[in-house]
C-alpha cells in the first residue's frame, strides 16, 4: 500500500526519539500498519546529535512542513502554547492529520483545535501528552468505553514523583532533592510547572475530559504543589500506614466534577502507592470494570515517542476512513460532550484530611481543637499526640473522616487563631482509592 | 445514526453482565459511539435471574441469533471449543462481526477463524478473552504499536493468584486453599484448567501472537501448574527477597519465542509482585517504551462484560468501514504474520533457578551438588544451608544464574541420583523482569 508520509516539527528530546523509533522499528511498524510510514520532512531550528537525519528533507522553518503537500501527518513536538497552536491550526487548515505530545496546548486550546479538526475531517491525536509511553488515553477512550467512569487518580508528573520518592527513601528535604534533580537533568532550571502541579493539572484536565465526556477546562482545575511537604509529614504518614503522593484526581459526583492536583495520603497497600521514582501510573475506576491501573515511563525520549508513533500508526491504519468512522478526540461524540457539567471549586470537594498542629503543651488544647472540628461537622478518625520534648511544642496529628473542604478551611482558620497553637496547620488530603 | 444491533449467545455470568452493562450504561455508551447499541436478541438455553430480558427477543436456539438478518454483531459467550467454533464460523459466514470472551476458542481455533473473517471482511474481537476487564489486547495491539516488543509476563489467572496469595498470607497448604476456593465459588469443581495453567496458557498464547505478530500456537506452550508449590518454598523465597507468582511469560530471543506458564520467583520490589488475590496484571516490555503494566480484575461478570462491550463499541464506531481500515486481529497485517517464528521447547529456554534439596547431613554434600552444577555450566548465585534439626535432613536452597533448561534438567537428574540426596529436587524458575 501507499506509504504514509510524516512531517516532524521539533527535533528536541521527543522529536529525535520519534524519528529514531520510526527508523529503527520501520519494518515492525509496517508489518502492523500494512504500509510503510516515512519521515518525509523535519522542521527544526537546529540539528540534534542524537538523531541521524541523513536523507531526510530538513527545514529550519517548521511552517514549511505544514505547507508541504506531500505530508499526510504533521507531528507537533515544539511545545509551548502560541507557535504550537498556530502550527497545529495551520496543519488542520491544510487538511493534515496532527499528532502532538503537547499537554499544555491540548489542555488550554484543545476545544478550539478539535472543533477545527472536525470541520476539516482530520484527526488530532495526543496520547503522548499524558503519562508519556503509557497508552492511558487509549485505555480510557476505547478500552473502558463500556463504563460509566466514576473517578481516576494518577501519578502523572515524573519529576514530582522522583522528588517525593527521594524525600521518603532518604529523609531528605524538598529543596535539597530538587537541587540534585536539577543537576541530574531530571528537573528543569525553572521547576514551577512540575513541582507546583501545573504540568499534572494539564494532564489531569485531558484525562477527565476523555473519561467523563466534558469540554477541557484547565482554568478550573485546583492545583497545589509539593514544595511544602516535609520529611516529618512523610514519616508521620508512614507510621499511620500511608504514603504521600502528588496525585491528579478527577471524580464525578452528584454535584459536579472534581478536578484537583495536590499531595495526597494514600494507603501503602494500594498498588499505586508502590509506584516510585520517575515512573507514572493512572488508576481508572469504571462502574462495570472496577479498579484498573496503567503503569510505565511518564517521560523520556523513546517512551514519549512510543505514544507519538502509536498515534501515527492509528491514523495510518485507516488513513482513508471517513471522519465519522474515527474515534472522537475526547472519547465522546463531539456533539455529545456535556457542556453543562460543572467543575466544582475546591471549597465544594469532599475528602478526608491529615492535619498536623504544633501546640503548646497545656491541658485542654486537644479538647479545643476537637470542639472546633466537631462544630464544623468534621469527625475525627484518629488522633496522635506525640510526647513533648523539653521546652518544645507538642505535635498533634489528626486524621479526619470525609468533610467538605469549605468546612475544613473554616476549622483550620479557627484552630490557627487559638492561643495554644503555633504556626500554620499543616493540611494534607487523604484518599482511600478503594471504590 | 442508525442503531447497531447486537445478538448475545449465552446468558451465564458474562452474558448477563454484558446485557446488564449495555442496558445500564446505554446512554453513556451511545454518547461515545455516536449511535445507540441495542440488544436485539439473546440465545440461551435458560434464563438468568441476574438479567432482566424484558422486551428482548429470547430464543433457546443460539443459531437463531447468527441467522437473524437484523443482527450486526454476534457476541459469543457460551464457552467451550466445538459449538462455539461452529457458531462463530456460521456468524462469519453470515457476514456478521463477532465478539467473544472465549480464550480457548481463540487460542486453539483463532488462526482459522481470523482467516475466515478476513475473507468475509468482518471483525472478530476478543479483548475479554485475556485478563477480563483489563484492556491489554488493545494496549499491546494499538498502544504499543511503535515498539519491538521484547517480552511480556502476566498474572493472568485469578483463581491461581488467589490461591497463591492465600498460601503466602496465611501459610496454608495448596489443597486446603483450593477446597475453600471451591466452596466460595472462586474455583471450579474441576480446577484443572486454572491450577494446571491451561487457562493461563490459552491467554498467553493470544498475548504472544498480538505482541510478536506470530500465528497462534497453543499446542507449543509449556504449561506447569501450581499444585506442587509448598508453604515452605513460599517462606524460603520470601527470605531471599522474592515472591512466587504463577506467571505466563512470552519472550522473543535470537533463537526463537519462549512461551511458558509456570510458578516463578520474582523480586518483591517489582510492582507486579504486589498484585494479589483474584486481580490480574500484565507487564509488557517494548524497546521504545520500556516496561509498562496493565492491572485490574481478570474475571467476573461485569469486568469481563466491560471488555466485551468495549469491543462492541469499537466495531460500532466504524461499523461501515472497510476491512482494510480496521486493526488486524493479531495486531499485524494478516499477510505479515511471521509463520517461521519458532516456539522454543522448554529445553531450550534460558532462565535462572531456585532449587531446594533435601540432603543427609554429611560432609561434602554441598561440594558434590556444586560440582554437578558447575560441570553443566550452571553458576550459583547463592547457597543457603539451613541448620539441621535433630535427626532431620538438611534443606539446601540454591539460587542459580541463568542457564539452559536442558542443562538444568540433566543436573537435577544427577543430583537426585546422589546417595546423600533424598526425594526430588524442587525446582522453581526465577525471573528478574527488569529489562
Amino acid at each position: 500500500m501507499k506509504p504514509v508520509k510524516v512531517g516532524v516539527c521539533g527535533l528536541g528530546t521527543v522529536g529525535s526519539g520519534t524519528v529514531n523509533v520510526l527508523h529503527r522499528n520501520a519494518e515492525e511498524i509496517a508489518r502492523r500498519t500494512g504500509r510503510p510510514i516515512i519521515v518525509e520532512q523535519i522542521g527544526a531550528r537546529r540539528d540534534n546529535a542524537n538523531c541521524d537525519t541523513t536523507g531526510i528533507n530538513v527545514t529550519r522553518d517548521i511552517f514549511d512542513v505544514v505547507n508541504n503537500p506531500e505530508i499526510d501527518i504533521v507531528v507537533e513536538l515544539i511545545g509551548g502554547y502560541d507557535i504550537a497552536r498556530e502550527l497545529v491550526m495551520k496543519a488542520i487548515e491544510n487538511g493534515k492529520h496532527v499528532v502532538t505530545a503537547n499537554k499544555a496546548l491540548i489542555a488550554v486550546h484543545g476545544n478550539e483545535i478539535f472543533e477545527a479538526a472536525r470541520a476539516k475531517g482530520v484527526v488530532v491525536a495526543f496520547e503522548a501528552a499524558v503519562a508519556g509511553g503509557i497508552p492511558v488515553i487509549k485505555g480510557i477512550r476505547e478500552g473502558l468505553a463500556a463504563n460509566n467512569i466514576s473517578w481516576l487518580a494518577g501519578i502523572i508528573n515524573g519529576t514530582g514523583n522522583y522528588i517525593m520518592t527521594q524525600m521518603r527513601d532518604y529523609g531528605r528535604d524538598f529543596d535539597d532533592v530538587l537541587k540534585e534533580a536539577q543537576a541530574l537533568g531530571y528537573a528543569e532550571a525553572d521547576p514551577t510547572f512540575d513541582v507546583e502541579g501545573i504540568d499534572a493539572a494539564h494532564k489531569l484536565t485531558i484525562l477527565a475530559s476523555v473519561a467523563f465526556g466534558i469540554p477541557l477546562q484547565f482554568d478550573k482545575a485546583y492545583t497545589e504543589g509539593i514544595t511544602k511537604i516535609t520529611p516529618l509529614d512523610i514519616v508521620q504518614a508512614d507510621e499511620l500506614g500511608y504514603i504521600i503522593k502528588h496525585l491528579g484526581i478527577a471524580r464525578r459526583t452528584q454535584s459536579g466534577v472534581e478536578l484537583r492536583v495536590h499531595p495526597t495520603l494514600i494507603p501503602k497497600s494500594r498498588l499505586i502507592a508502590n509506584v516510585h521514582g520517575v515512573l507514572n501510573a493512572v488508576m481508572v475506576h469504571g462502574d462495570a470494570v472496577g479498579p484498573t491501573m496503567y503503569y510505565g515511563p511518564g517521560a523520556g525520549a523513546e517512551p514519549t515517542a512510543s505514544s507519538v508513533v502509536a498515534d501515527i500508526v492509528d491514523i495510518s491504519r485507516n488513513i482513508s476512513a471517513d471522519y465519522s468512522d474515527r474515534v472522537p478526540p475526547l472519547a465522546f461524540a463531539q456533539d455529545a460532550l456535556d457542556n453543562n457539567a460543572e467543575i466544582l471549586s475546591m471549597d465544594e470537594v469532599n475528602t478526608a484530611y491529615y492535619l498536623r498542629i504544633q501546640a503548646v503543651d497545656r491541658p485542654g488544647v486537644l479538647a479545643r481543637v476537637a470542639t472546633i472540628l466537631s462544630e464544623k461537622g468534621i469527625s475525627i478518625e484518629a488522633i496522635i499526640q506525640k510526647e513533648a520534648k523539653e521546652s518544645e511544642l507538642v505535635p498533634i496529628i489528626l486524621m479526619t473522616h470525609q468533610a467538605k473542604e469549605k468546612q475544613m478551611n473554616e476549622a483550620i482558620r479557627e484552630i490557627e487563631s487559638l492561643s495554644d497553637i503555633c504556626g500554620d496547620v499543616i493540611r494534607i488530603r487523604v484518599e482511600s482509592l478503594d471504590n
Side-chain angles (χ1 to χ4, degrees), chain A residues 40-149:
Chain A
E40 178 73 13
Q41 190 172 29
I42 295 171
R45 276 178 305 190
R46 62 187 73 87
D47 292 342
N48 185 326
N50 296 320
C51 185
D52 179 6
T53 58
T54 310
I56 304 175
N57 173 357
V58 180
T59 170
R60 295 294 171 221
D61 181 356
I62 49 174
F63 283 87
D64 288 350
V65 177
V66 297
N67 292 321
N68 181 338
E70 285 295 309
I71 282 172
D72 303 300
I73 303 174
V74 169
V75 182
E76 184 278 299
L77 300 172
I78 60 171
Y81 301 89
D82 296 336
I83 300 176
R85 178 181 161 280
E86 199 186 328
L87 185 83
V88 166
M89 293 302 276
K90 186 72 188 171
I92 293 168
E93 188 188 318
N94 291 346
K96 300 188 188 308
H97 301 294
V98 174
V99 174
T100 178
N102 191 330
K103 57 222 76 168
L105 178 72
I106 296 298
V108 174
H109 298 300
N111 298 325
E112 172 197 18
I113 288 169
F114 298 144
E115 267 314 306
R118 168 158 73 162
K120 291 294 288 190
V122 296
V123 176
V124 175
F126 52 91
E127 179 67 79
V130 180
I134 310 171
V136 63
I137 296 290
K138 182 170 283 285
I140 297 172
R141 185 160 58 180
E142 302 167 38
L144 302 184
N147 291 266
N148 204 311
I149 294 173

Side-chain angles (χ1 to χ4, degrees), chain A residues 157 191-203 218 222-226 246 261-262:
Chain A
N157 181 275
T192 313
F193 262 48
D194 291 324
V195 302
E196 295 296 356
I198 301 163
D199 174 77
H202 284 145
K203 296 166 180 166
F218 167 69
Y222 173 81
T223 305
E224 182 179 310
I226 55 173
H246 199 200
V261 174
H262 52 67

Side-chain angles (χ1 to χ4, degrees), chain A residues 17 26 54 57 118 147 159 170 176 179 186 287 292 306 309 335 338 340 350 385 416 434:
Chain A
T54 310
N57 173 357
R118 168 158 73 162
N147 291 266
T159 306
Y170 303 104
D176 179 29
K179 278 199 195 93
Y186 295 169
D287 67 337
T292 63
S306 173
V309 175
D335 50 15
D338 183 356
N340 300 318
N350 277 286
Q385 183 163 1
E416 286 175 345
D434 61 350

Side-chain angles (χ1 to χ4, degrees), chain A residues 134-342:
Chain A
I134 310 171
V136 63
I137 296 290
K138 182 170 283 285
I140 297 172
R141 185 160 58 180
E142 302 167 38
L144 302 184
N147 291 266
N148 204 311
I149 294 173
S150 31
W151 57 266
L152 59 88
I155 296 172
I156 46 181
N157 181 275
T159 306
N161 201 42
Y162 171 81
I163 292 173
M164 298 292 289
T165 303
Q166 288 283 316
M167 287 177 71
R168 175 166 181 264
D169 288 355
Y170 303 104
R172 295 169 65 188
D173 282 331
F174 173 81
D175 290 328
D176 179 29
V177 178
L178 174 61
K179 278 199 195 93
E180 191 191 69
Q182 286 171 320
L184 291 168
Y186 295 169
E188 307 278 340
D190 176 359
T192 313
F193 262 48
D194 291 324
V195 302
E196 295 296 356
I198 301 163
D199 174 77
H202 284 145
K203 296 166 180 166
L204 180 69
T205 299
I206 298 171
L207 287 171
S209 284
V210 170
F212 306 145
I214 57 174
L216 296 150
Q217 294 166 78
F218 167 69
D219 55 327
K220 293 187 186 148
Y222 173 81
T223 305
E224 182 179 310
I226 55 173
T227 57
K228 290 179 187 156
I229 298 295
T230 64
L232 176 59
D233 292 308
I234 292 172
V235 169
Q236 297 293 352
D238 187 74
E239 283 178 18
L240 289 158
Y242 291 85
I243 188 163
I244 305 178
K245 289 289 183 189
H246 199 200
L247 290 189
I249 300 171
R251 190 188 303 267
R252 239 189 316 200
T253 74
Q254 293 292 334
S255 45
V257 173
E258 300 178 3
L259 201 58
R260 47 191 171 108
V261 174
H262 52 67
T264 314
L265 269 75
I266 51 178
K268 278 192 263 186
S269 57
R270 295 286 167 273
L271 195 61
I272 197 171
N274 298 294
V275 172
H276 300 307
V278 296
L279 287 150
N280 279 198
V282 181
M283 288 187 74
V284 186
H285 192 280
D287 67 337
V289 72
T292 63
M293 196 178 89
Y294 311 85
Y295 161 88
E302 292 214 355
T304 311
S306 173
S307 284
V308 168
V309 175
D311 278 345
I312 295 173
V313 170
D314 255 6
I315 297 170
S316 303
R317 269 172 163 157
N318 59 355
I319 193 113
S320 60
D322 288 344
Y323 187 77
S324 65
D325 281 346
R326 296 177 181 279
V327 181
L330 295 177
F332 292 74
Q334 279 166 278
D335 50 15
L337 290 178
D338 183 356
N339 293 301
N340 300 318
E342 191 196 347

